[in-house]
Amino acid sequence: MDEFGVFACFGVNGPPQRLLSAEGSSRVAVAVPPSVRQVVLFSSGPWGERICVNAELNDAERIPITIGKLTPYNKCLSWEQWEEETWTDSVTLNVTLEGGNLGKTNWSEPQLILAVKEYTPKETVAPLAPREINSKRKRERMAEEELDEGKETKRGEEENVCPNGGPEKTTPVRKVRGQTKGSQKLFTSGGDANKTKGVNGAGEAQGIVGRTPPQSAARTKSRLAKTPTQTAPLVSPSGRWGQTLCPIDAQTAILIGGQGARMQFCKDPMWKLCTEDMSWMAAETLAEGPTPDARIGHTAIFDPDSKRIFVFGGSKNKKWFNDVHILDTQSWKWTMVEAQGKVPPLAYHSCSLFRGELFVLGGVFPCPNPEPDGCSDSLYIFDPHLSIWYEPIVTGDKPSPRSGHSACVMQERKIYVFGGWDTPVCYNDMYMLDLGLMEFSAVKTSGKAPSPRSWHGSAVLSDTKFLIHGGYNGNNALSDTFIFDTDTNSWTEVTLPQLSIPRAGHSIITMETPGHHHFTEEAEDADMDAGSINRTLLVFGGGDNERNFYSDLTTVTVEELLGAV
């Protein structure tokens, strides 16, 4: 097989079947036989100038079940029915090649439809089931699952999903296959606008780059959502929540992962942000090596000494991760760590870097696999030099089990932990871990504290101050902003128009940005230190519990924030 080709195996015993070739069509759709419960897609031969192969598994209504992408550095994908909650008996695999010699391709023509050669000759390929039969199956399955849902409700099963917006707004609700689209407002539907229109337009509000978050939740099902593949390349990330945004130098940050509308994992999982002109560049195909699986609720931490990003944990549907992936930002190569020691699969935990080690606290863990079963209160440390996990001995008054909390390293000797929740309780307490003594203590605060919340954003502003913004309180996404002073242990609420949009599951970082900032007399009185000069707070993505997913990039100068205290 010297020439380029894309092949698929349908079922564990199915032989490889060619879907795309060097000279053939660049688009193909394949009806997956009902007997098949596993699909493997892979490429063979030199890629040349080809960029990637987009792959989607769609249901009978052409709604994506799951998505993936082959690249020159990630040449194989696999799907199994047990991983995908919406896998039905009428699944279509849609494959589209991008890049290379596409001069013969007419994107307005219908894509090539192939039939699968089944392993057992007597079996015939079942065409897509009629809409009436499929609807009947869905209704029957929905009724069965509603009965099951009423019989058994696990305490932690809500943890793997961001907040819901149904009539009973108390705790998140895990999505099931038969669930109606209107029963879970946040991050299930209505976010298509982020992907199909308005993503690249400049926002009208000052400090917002990209799509300005909508103010209304009234949306109908987009016809574009049924299009298997959007061929126009994106110039900025699609709307999402649960992603990470990780600075790697003074002008560059890396966006990894996330989940968008209809619980679909983002088709564009990795981007590079340049703060010199606030421009985005798709980065998935830039790095060699095995890329991490699509996921949410993971963490990504950059080590400035080794110039590496450490990605840990997270979840995807019913799959939970405890893997460590490392991206070397100098060689742009991914590696997966074969670590010693034990750490449970975790999502919505916090991860802090101290003296080259990763401090992982809390999070949701599955027990037994794959269902989540409550939250963790444990502290795990990963030593990259020895590739080993260990649990340190800690003393004092440690935080209760929680997930969706924040952790800020202050003055390279203390970690401040705020908020989070352990269903159905939401927290707004504060704890501090002394990294010299390895001792936890509850922090008694003064001033107006943030209300209980999880999935909020946090960022260090100076040696003594950090920020908390937004989040989810069990009912609604929040838009308020607070600054905590570690010298006085006091909270101060600040109000800025740039941070007035309710959002949860978003990313907040601080970075140096070009331009000279002139300090006001009030800012100098606010104890502004040299570390805040020419630094800017960046807020990306999240959702509003009203079916909207954001792809905007909001900026506020640290000077302005500290001046408002």
Side-chain angles (χ1 to χ4, degrees), residues 143-162:
E144 293 173 359
E145 289 172 350
E146 285 177 352
L147 288 174
D148 294 339
E149 195 79 7
K151 292 179 180 178
E152 180 180 6
T153 301
K154 291 191 176 182
R155 171 175 162 274
E157 68 183 356
E158 300 92 345
E159 295 283 358
N160 193 25
V161 179
C162 206

Side-chain angles (χ1 to χ4, degrees), residues 373-395:
D373 188 22
C375 294
S376 169
D377 63 352
S378 298
L379 176 66
Y380 298 90
I381 297 180
F382 178 70
D383 183 343
H385 301 290
L386 301 176
S387 294
I388 188 171
W389 285 99
Y390 65 95
E391 285 190 76
I393 298 175
V394 294
T395 60

Side-chain angles (χ1 to χ4, degrees), residues 14 110 113 116 140 155 162 234 285 320 322 327 359 477 494 553 556:
I113 307 296
V116 174
E140 293 173 351
R155 171 175 162 274
C162 206
L234 295 173
T285 60
W320 294 71
N322 63 347
L327 176 61
F359 285 62
V494 296
L553 183 64
V556 187

Side-chain angles (χ1 to χ4, degrees), residues 71-84:
T71 73
Y73 311 111
N74 186 27
K75 299 180 181 180
C76 184
L77 292 170
S78 66
W79 300 280
E80 295 186 54
Q81 185 185 40
W82 69 270
E83 293 181 350
E84 313 299 341

